[in-house]
Amino acid sequence: GAVVSQHPSRVICKSGTSVKIECRSLDFQATTMFWYRQFPKKSLMLMATSNEGSKATYEQGVEKDKFLINHASLTLSTLTVTSAHPEDSSFYICSAPKGGGLFGTDTQYFGPGTRLTVL
Amino acid sequence: KNEVEQSPQNLTAQEGEFITINCSYSVGISALHWLQQHPGGGIVSLFMLSSGKKKHGRLIATINIQEKHSSLHITASHPRDSAVYICAVEGGADGLTFGKGTHLIIQP
């Protein structure tokens, strides 16, 4: 089956630094990828839709300048948390849709997630 | 590592029918999520459960911690409920473990 990887799986950084998280589709191309965030004890929240060759589409309330998204190629999207703050500590997940699913829909493949801790 | 199984994988039903989607997991968890994905779209989080039952509109989610099992119910189903429903569990250091999803089609 299709595989989506994320790197790193865990990262600890100091306040004020920037952290880059990579999401790769390993055996298929994805013109769109999605980034989610999970707050402690809460459910997933869609942050943004990453589009290859164009700007990302951010959900309401998500700071574009803080969470920079770059869809560099058809197999790679990156999320950069800039000037990280302890409140940015969270679990970040990406997903990529692959066509050919049942009923003509895309099948969503999830990365394993990245645990970010900002000290 | 937790193993998450959903059933059925595919379900087609008529409008108005009561729908049940099941999720079972192998290792104790801290929370279970039900997610909804519409064709071509991202994920919408429906419920997060750690015990008992939650209701939102026509959707009901239950969890039995002892049996390691959760169900998602849709009452008075409607074509707009057609989507992929995904169960995801969390616990320990593994982050989220996702089920493969249930493809639901509600026919008018």
Side-chain angles (χ1 to χ4, degrees), chain B residues 13-83:
Chain B
Q14 295 298 123
E15 184 173 358
E17 286 188 38
F18 182 83
I19 303 298
T20 296
I21 299 170
N22 297 300
C23 175
S24 61
Y25 50 93
S26 58
V27 178
I29 61 172
S30 57
L32 181 144
H33 303 260
W34 280 104
L35 312 170
Q36 180 191 55
Q37 177 213 349
H38 284 278
I43 299 293
V44 173
S45 181
L46 298 175
F47 296 103
M48 185 182 74
L49 294 163
S50 53
S51 65
K53 175 180 173 178
K54 287 189 177 181
K55 184 176 188 293
H56 181 73
R58 294 180 295 106
L59 301 177
I60 304 166
T62 63
I63 188 168
N64 185 318
I65 297 295
Q66 286 73 29
E67 294 186 356
K68 297 185 176 62
H69 180 269
S70 175
S71 293
L72 175 68
H73 304 286
I74 305 175
T75 62
S77 60
H78 190 275
R80 64 175 175 266
D81 297 326
S82 298

Side-chain angles (χ1 to χ4, degrees), chain A residues 21-119:
Chain A
I21 302 170
E22 294 185 346
C23 176
R24 291 181 186 273
S25 55
L26 296 185
D27 54 355
F28 67 100
Q29 294 182 332
T31 55
T32 301
M33 291 184 178
F34 301 95
W35 285 98
Y36 307 86
R37 178 177 178 178
Q38 185 191 26
F39 293 92
K41 300 187 185 300
K42 293 190 178 180
S43 194
L44 288 171
M45 178 192 81
L46 176 65
M47 298 176 65
T49 303
S50 173
N51 304 300
E52 192 271 337
S54 63
K55 291 182 180 179
T57 304
Y58 290 82
E59 296 299 301
Q60 192 172 11
V62 177
E63 298 177 62
K64 301 178 184 182
D65 294 333
K66 180 154 189 68
F67 298 100
L68 300 179
I69 291 173
N70 181 31
H71 202 129
S73 73
L74 288 171
T75 59
L76 173 64
S77 175
T78 59
L79 168 67
T80 302
V81 182
T82 62
S83 189
H85 191 272
E87 67 195 27
D88 298 326
S89 298
S90 195
F91 191 63
Y92 293 87
I93 304 168
C94 71
S95 71
K98 180 183 178 188
L102 290 173
F103 309 125
T105 61
D106 286 343
T107 297
Q108 202 73 232
Y109 292 90
F110 292 89
T114 297
R115 176 77 62 189
L116 170 64
T117 303
V118 183
L119 302 176

